Structure formats: C-alpha cells, structure tokens
Amino acid sequence: MAQNHGLSTTPVLGDAERVLFMHTGIRGSTMLGFRLGMCLVVVSLAAVAFAGPDKPIANVKSLTGDWRAMSGASAAAIRIKPDGSYEGTAANGTKTAGKITTAGGKASFQSANSAGTVTWSQEDGKDMLLFVRADGRGSAKLQRVK
C-alpha cells in the first residue's frame, strides 16, 4: 500500500502529481498556479507549431504597411514606414512610436517604453509580425492589412 507521507489526499492532485510535489513542497494554490503555467506553456508551444517558419527580414522596407492585432479584444495597430519607423496604438490604447532595425536577417524594435525582437512569419497565407518585449512583459501578434 502506498504511503501518504503527510500529504493531503484532496482529489485535486493525482498520484503522480502527489509524488512529484511531495519532494518539492508545492501545495494548494501553488499547485493551481503550476498547472496554469504548464497549460500556458503547452498553448504557446502549440501556437508556434502551427505558425509557419520565421521569414528572414533582409530590410525593414519589406515590413512597410499597416498591421493590426489578430484578436478583436486588442486595439493594437501600427503603420510601419519604409525607413522602419512606426506609429500606432498599443494593446492598452496608448499611442506608441518607435523604430525597427534589421541585422543578419533578424529584426528588433525600440520605442520610448520598450525594446525587443520582431519576427515575421506566414499563417494561412497571411503575413504576421510578432513583437516580443526583451523584458518578458508582453508580446503582440499583428497581421498585415495593407
């Protein structure tokens, strides 16, 4: 018969989870946070798997045009100019402006409030840009509209 080792026998944890968390001391709401975090990792990996491979960005001129957020809940939108400068509205509704630069087929962005990477891919035949902040505090996925 399996030993309990002082763990709660609530139905929230399965046997394998009990063994794993018995050694780490993770319980209760921390376990819920762990499960939520793992779900987010799986969803993020699935999204990457369904996206096309990143396209090299030889120059910022190839990104010129209007881009909008994919989801209806986000108001994010930018207009990228041929020189790489952009203006738009961030997901939180504030105005944003910055510059995209390229080096070695990769792109990065810099604005007054943040900096990070820009990747270009195709999904279902549509051009997509993914802006990821370097500090890990957010990202925005935008689709070319013209």
Side-chain angles (χ1 to χ4, degrees):
M1 180 174 244
Q3 293 181 353
N4 188 340
H5 295 287
L7 291 175
S8 167
T9 57
T10 60
V12 175
L13 298 177
D15 290 337
E17 292 164 323
R18 257 192 229 97
V19 171
L20 174 65
F21 296 108
M22 172 179 64
H23 297 290
T24 61
I26 299 174
R27 297 184 205 168
S29 64
T30 305
M31 179 62 196
L32 179 61
F34 175 78
R35 283 184 172 179
L36 179 59
M38 290 305 292
C39 286
L40 291 174
V41 168
V42 169
V43 169
S44 296
L45 291 175
V48 170
F50 288 110
D54 291 348
K55 295 168 62 172
I57 304 172
N59 60 58
V60 294
K61 198 176 242 184
S62 59
L63 304 179
T64 300
D66 292 336
W67 300 79
R68 303 259 184 278
M70 288 187 52
S71 67
S74 176
I78 63 170
R79 173 171 285 159
I80 301 173
K81 298 177 184 173
D83 67 355
S85 62
Y86 64 87
E87 296 176 342
T89 306
N92 64 6
T94 61
K95 296 291 181 187
T96 186
K99 181 116 178 159
I100 298 172
T101 56
T102 60
K106 298 186 184 266
S108 59
F109 74 94
Q110 177 71 49
S111 72
N113 300 324
S114 64
T117 61
V118 179
T119 55
W120 184 18
S121 65
Q122 282 204 324
E123 294 179 24
D124 298 324
K126 298 176 184 172
D127 284 334
M128 307 299 291
L129 285 183
L130 178 62
F131 287 73
V132 178
R133 288 176 55 141
D135 61 10
R137 295 179 57 200
S139 64
K141 190 172 200 176
L142 306 170
Q143 178 180 329
R144 188 189 301 262
V145 292
K146 61 175 176 169

